[in-house]
Amino acid sequence: MPTFDDLLEEAGSFGRCQRRVFALLSLLPVLFAGVYVGIVFQGFTPDHWCRDSAVVEKRESCGWSLADSRRLTVPSVNSSGSVQYSSCEQYQVDWNSTGLTCDTRDLNLSRVPVTACKDGWEYDYEGRKSFVTEFDLVCSDGWFVDMYQSTFSVGNLIGSFAFGYFADRFGRRLCLLVSIMVNAMSGLILAVVPNYISILVARTAFGFGAKGCWMASYVLIAEIVGVEYRRTVGILYQIMFSFGVILLPLLAYYITDWRWLQVIFSAPYILFLSCYWFVPESPRWLISQNKSSKALEITAAMAKENKRTLKQYEEVAEDEGDSPTASLLDLIRTPKMRKHTFILSFNWFTSAVVYQGLIMRVGITGGNLYIDFLITALVEFPAALLILFTIERIGRRLPFALSNIIAGASCLAAAFIADGMVWLKMVAACIGRLGITIAFEMVLFVNTEIYPTYVRNLGVSVCSTLCDVGGMIAPFLLYRLAAVWLELPLIIFGIVAFIAGGLVFFLPETKGIPLPETIDDIEFPDRKKENQENKHSKKLKVRAENQETAL
């Protein structure tokens, strides 16, 4: 009885049908990029200071500049080693009763007492509008900006479990369509809700649907292509995310209102409902549900589109997968499984924290937001090429470990490079972004190859949830620590990445090693190797005996 992999060999491992489905579904990561890191532009916190209505009126009537009115409104403070205007305090002066005139803009107010902002804030943002400027999410309310990204990660975490079950129970295609619909609805609602609490609720729902969409499309693509193409399509799928990251600053530059930018991220999902007609259900999943006839029908249609001919089959054997008895305890019951689970979980967490942190940091460094974001985004493309050219030549463990270590070293270097050396600081940040991008993509490969078959999907699902936990923490680490010292988050990122890279050396090398089938294969790899050699010897012996008999 043939397996589905056997059928794919006949129908075409990556023919016209698979290329068409991949071309359609690989556009989803482009949208996901805006959803995932759009906070850099939607939640940008521009230079701001306390508003004083009397000073604003005088500025407009006297033709003062923003700097002139700012000197009369807010004091100077020492922040991160430099003297800057305060963002959260103002002079305690009633300008309506002091006879403010056009000639008083150069008053010395250094001895005047200060107080917290009472009349809102002014922003130096050149007519642009982020949700920070719309809802005044600065100073004591600045942590609400962190919540925007953290609630998205909460939605991701819930979506991981919910859609993971949904996809296995009801199919990849239905899961994909439902998640696309959730994305379209929650994303458009997010663009029109009137208050920030509603925004956080809609953002959570958006994260819920986005994770399901990512998982379902990635799994569906992987399940309809031949084994030899899975690694390539997986990397290309992630490259499309990088393409979306590059496209983001171009969109944000021309679309100045965060709500319209949200519409751009959300409305295209409506078009992807066409997947109902253009994307088939995964035959591999249908076989696992004892629906061989439907799987054979879909595979025959794929073969026809690929201009291949499929033989007539009555049944298809189910590929070996997760055992129904697999449990969370299997991931930590034995010493090596426990070690692998801890190291991989920590690397998922580290990748999310450092990757998101480096992206969001672009918005608080004070440079040209659009150019700096574009430059750092461009370095993600070499990451995929480096993976393709190294993992089959020198293995998984060394590139995986070194990418983390290089990212950590770059973060530490960028933290201590003088602010005046702008380009050197930018180069260090780009190298760090390249390193953590490689690590982020490598952790999935290693996670897949290191667990035995019957708990492989469970192991990847459980470990990758730490990615969502990292996504919840990253905004707080960045924005709250940067308020203490701008470079402090980079030091934290560097230390965490160094630890993650060092831990990878305690993992086994998986290049050229057959995928483990049982926990014994993990705990006693020499025994597995010996069994493999014995099987190979028996095959050679049988082949020799058959040749002698033939003679």
Side-chain angles (χ1 to χ4, degrees):
M1 186 182 298
T3 65
F4 181 65
D5 286 326
D6 297 327
L7 294 182
L8 272 182
E9 288 295 323
E10 294 184 30
S13 296
F14 193 58
R16 180 180 176 182
C17 178
Q18 289 98 327
R19 291 195 296 270
R20 174 179 57 80
V21 173
F22 175 74
L24 177 60
L25 296 186
S26 63
L27 295 176
L28 287 170
V30 178
L31 293 179
F32 185 71
V35 174
Y36 190 61
V37 299
I39 184 177
V40 175
F41 301 98
Q42 292 179 296
F44 179 67
T45 302
D47 193 16
H48 56 280
W49 59 92
C50 299
R51 174 186 173 86
D52 189 301
S53 299
V55 176
V56 171
E57 290 178 8
K58 188 58 66 175
R59 181 182 71 212
E60 292 174 351
S61 62
C62 297
W64 292 350
S65 66
L66 286 176
D68 292 332
S69 63
R70 193 174 186 178
R71 279 195 297 270
L72 293 175
T73 307
V74 299
S76 298
V77 295
N78 192 324
S79 177
S80 297
S82 62
V83 177
Q84 302 174 5
Y85 284 112
S86 174
S87 299
C88 304
E89 293 180 326
Q90 67 181 81
Y91 290 122
Q92 194 170 349
V93 178
D94 183 3
W95 290 109
N96 290 317
S97 60
T98 57
L100 181 64
T101 67
C102 293
D103 297 326
T104 56
R105 60 183 178 181
D106 293 324
L107 289 176
N108 183 359
L109 302 171
S110 59
R111 297 182 181 276
V112 175
V114 297
T115 184
C117 298
K118 297 179 179 179
D119 195 18
W121 284 263
E122 289 191 85
Y123 300 93
D124 186 9
Y125 199 27
E126 299 177 356
R128 295 178 178 271
K129 190 175 183 181
S130 69
F131 60 75
V132 173
T133 63
E134 180 175 339
F135 297 103
D136 285 335
L137 302 180
V138 293
C139 298
S140 61
D141 289 334
W143 65 278
F144 277 109
V145 181
D146 311 354
M147 290 298 296
Y148 183 82
Q149 192 71 358
S150 293
T151 53
F152 180 78
S153 295
V154 170
N156 279 179
L157 183 62
I158 299 171
S160 293
F161 291 103
F163 280 106
Y165 169 79
F166 191 89
D168 286 339
R169 179 69 178 83
F170 300 104
R172 314 328 190 190
R173 182 166 168 264
L174 182 59
C175 174
L176 178 64
L177 292 170
V178 170
S179 61
I180 287 173
M181 189 175 298
V182 171
N183 284 343
M185 293 176 60
S186 60
L188 292 174
I189 289 173
L190 177 58
V192 298
V193 288
N195 59 70
Y196 198 68
I197 299 300
S198 301
I199 285 175
L200 295 182
V201 174
R203 181 70 172 166
T204 304
F206 206 6
F208 175 78
K211 189 59 175 281
C213 187
W214 177 278
M215 290 172 56
S217 56
Y218 184 90
V219 170
L220 201 155
I221 290 171
E223 289 185 341
I224 65 172
V225 303
V227 176
E228 67 273 24
Y229 291 99
R230 286 180 195 165
R231 185 182 75 252
T232 302
V233 298
I235 292 175
L236 291 176
Y237 188 83
Q238 295 182 76
I239 285 179
M240 294 303 292
F241 175 86
S242 299
F243 177 75
V245 173
I246 291 174
L247 188 62
L248 179 58
L250 303 178
L251 289 173
Y253 182 79
Y254 290 103
I255 302 173
T256 58
D257 190 315
W258 76 272
R259 290 185 182 272
W260 282 109
L261 197 58
Q262 181 62 39
V263 171
I264 296 298
F265 296 157
S266 310
Y269 279 108
I270 297 174
L271 301 177
F272 281 95
L273 290 173
S274 63
C275 290
Y276 178 83
W277 293 281
F278 297 112
V279 176
E281 179 56 271
S282 166
R284 196 180 298 273
W285 175 79
L286 289 169
I287 293 168
S288 72
Q289 301 297 306
N290 297 317
K291 298 179 180 179
S292 293
S293 58
K294 183 64 176 177
L296 286 168
E297 179 183 333
I298 292 175
T299 309
M302 291 170 59
K304 182 178 180 181
E305 187 174 347
N306 293 342
K307 298 182 179 180
R308 297 283 193 94
T309 302
L310 195 67
K311 297 178 183 177
Q312 294 295 322
Y313 295 104
E314 296 293 331
E315 294 285 336
V316 184
E318 183 177 348
D319 293 334
E320 186 178 10
D322 283 5
S323 166
T325 61
S327 72
L328 290 172
L329 289 177
D330 291 328
L331 303 179
I332 57 174
R333 181 176 287 121
T334 58
K336 289 186 178 179
M337 287 287 288
R338 193 158 50 242
K339 179 181 70 174
H340 296 170
T341 299
F342 169 75
I343 294 173
L344 290 169
S345 297
F346 187 80
N347 269 273
W348 275 108
F349 172 83
T350 299
S351 296
V353 167
V354 180
Y355 183 80
Q356 282 197 47
L358 288 178
I359 285 179
M360 292 187 294
R361 188 179 183 275
V362 176
I364 64 173
T365 53
N368 186 306
L369 176 63
Y370 304 96
I371 294 177
D372 290 352
F373 190 96
L374 181 61
I375 291 173
T376 55
L378 286 171
V379 303
E380 291 195 13
F381 278 99
L385 297 176
L386 286 171
I387 291 174
L388 283 172
F389 288 116
T390 57
I391 61 175
E392 294 303 330
R393 290 174 171 80
I394 62 176
R396 277 69 159 155
R397 185 171 58 183
L398 187 59
F400 189 13
L402 288 180
S403 60
N404 272 303
I405 293 171
I406 290 171
S410 300
C411 288
L412 292 174
F416 293 103
I417 293 174
D419 291 337
M421 304 175 71
V422 177
W423 282 106
L424 186 58
K425 208 174 184 72
M426 175 64 73
V427 169
C430 288
I431 294 174
R433 179 80 168 270
L434 174 64
I436 203 61
T437 301
I438 294 174
F440 216 153
E441 296 181 5
M442 283 293 299
V443 67
L444 178 59
F445 291 128
V446 175
N447 206 159
T448 302
E449 294 178 341
I450 214 164
Y451 280 117
T453 300
Y454 85 103
V455 290
R456 185 167 296 129
N457 289 339
L458 179 66
V460 173
S461 298
V462 170
C463 292
S464 64
T465 58
L466 269 292
C467 175
D468 300 320
V469 174
M472 298 177 206
I473 295 174
F476 292 95
L477 276 177
L478 178 72
Y479 295 127
R480 296 314 105 207
L481 293 181
V484 178
W485 178 33
L486 184 61
E487 310 301 349
L488 185 55
L490 283 179
I491 295 174
I492 301 299
F493 297 157
I495 293 172
V496 172
F498 259 119
I499 294 172
L503 288 174
V504 170
F505 285 111
F506 292 94
L507 293 175
E509 176 56 67
T510 57
K511 174 182 175 290
I513 306 297
L515 292 177
E517 297 174 1
T518 67
I519 289 182
D520 281 347
D521 293 341
I522 299 293
E523 298 297 326
F524 309 104
D526 292 337
R527 186 184 301 174
K528 179 177 177 63
K529 184 178 180 180
E530 183 179 345
N531 290 336
Q532 292 286 339
E533 291 175 350
N534 290 337
K535 288 180 181 179
H536 183 65
S537 299
K538 287 180 181 179
K539 286 181 180 179
L540 293 177
K541 185 177 180 181
V542 170
R543 186 179 301 169
E545 290 176 352
N546 290 338
Q547 289 177 349
E548 290 179 2
T549 302
L551 292 174

